[in-house]
Amino acid sequence: PQAVSVAIQECGDANGQATIDLTSYDGTISNGTGTVEWYLDMAHTQAISDPTNYLTGNSVIYAIVSNSNCTSGVVAISIDILSTLVATVIPIEVCVTDQDTPLINLTVYNPMISGGIGTVTWYRDDGGVNIITNTTSFKPTGETIFAGVSSGLCFSEIVAIPVEIYSAFTPVPVCVFTSGDSVSMHWEGVADMY
């Protein structure tokens, strides 16, 4: 098996400490090829006694992956304890044709808003009271919606996410007879500028 090195980022307390379930990273580190063993040292002589409840600050620990046949090389796992999270404001732009009702999969924007750290929660209000529950098929009405990021003990501020809906129409060919043997054609519903 091969062990994959990862960087763990978790939110911590006021002392820069966090309790981490290291086993939640086992699938990423082992890529499903074996069992992950956690160590405090590169020589893998000091096992972490409870990887499901590991209290730490910023640190480097080590992991190996083993299966019934062999053991991987040791990999370093860096742990970065964060004190705050930031929700990044990004506009959501949607183009709909022929006045269709737009459906937006808000979860597509989660990595851009969270920076890949934490869980994004979507709201209809800036106070974080009215949660948007159907984030994979959200029907906007052109309003601003709101998002916040959370991870462990950290919560970002709730930020406004503007939703901009643009309408387009499918062009329709229009033919006009200009004389007995001539036809003029133009496209109706086509904008001059894009």
Side-chain angles (χ1 to χ4, degrees):
Q2 182 177 358
V4 178
S5 182
V6 298
I8 297 173
Q9 293 183 316
E10 293 279 341
C11 278
D13 59 20
N15 298 318
Q17 299 280 304
T19 300
I20 302 171
D21 179 1
L22 297 174
T23 62
S24 67
Y25 296 92
D26 283 2
T28 303
I29 292 168
S30 71
N31 204 19
T33 62
T35 303
V36 177
E37 300 170 23
W38 296 91
Y39 295 93
L40 295 171
D41 63 324
M42 190 173 203
H44 51 88
T45 60
Q46 299 174 19
I48 295 175
S49 61
D50 185 2
T52 62
N53 198 29
Y54 181 62
L55 178 65
T56 187
N58 292 334
S59 60
V60 176
I61 58 175
Y62 302 89
I64 60 172
V65 177
S66 61
N67 60 27
S68 58
N69 298 321
C70 56
T71 301
S72 72
V74 65
V75 293
I77 308 296
S78 64
I79 298 175
D80 185 22
I81 304 301
L82 307 172
S83 59
T84 61
L85 290 175
V86 175
T88 303
V89 175
I90 58 157
I92 296 175
E93 299 174 333
V94 178
C95 182
V96 295
T97 56
D98 298 329
Q99 299 181 2
D100 284 342
T101 301
L103 289 177
I104 302 173
N105 183 351
L106 297 175
T107 62
V108 169
Y109 300 93
N110 288 355
M112 293 172 274
I113 291 173
S114 70
I117 302 168
T119 302
V120 175
T121 303
W122 293 90
Y123 305 96
R124 292 188 183 276
D125 64 296
D126 61 355
V129 175
N130 192 357
I131 295 174
I132 297 172
T133 56
N134 192 359
T135 56
T136 58
S137 296
F138 175 67
K139 292 181 185 180
T141 57
E143 78 272 20
T144 296
I145 57 177
F146 302 86
V149 180
S150 63
S151 178
L153 302 174
C154 291
F155 299 92
S156 72
E157 291 185 22
I158 294 174
V159 296
I161 305 294
V163 178
E164 300 169 10
I165 300 171
Y166 301 100
S167 296
F169 296 94
T170 303
V172 177
V174 175
C175 297
V176 177
F177 291 98
T178 57
S179 67
D181 61 352
S182 272
V183 175
S184 171
M185 187 171 126
H186 70 276
W187 294 96
E188 192 171 285
V190 177
D192 291 334
M193 299 179 66
Y194 298 92

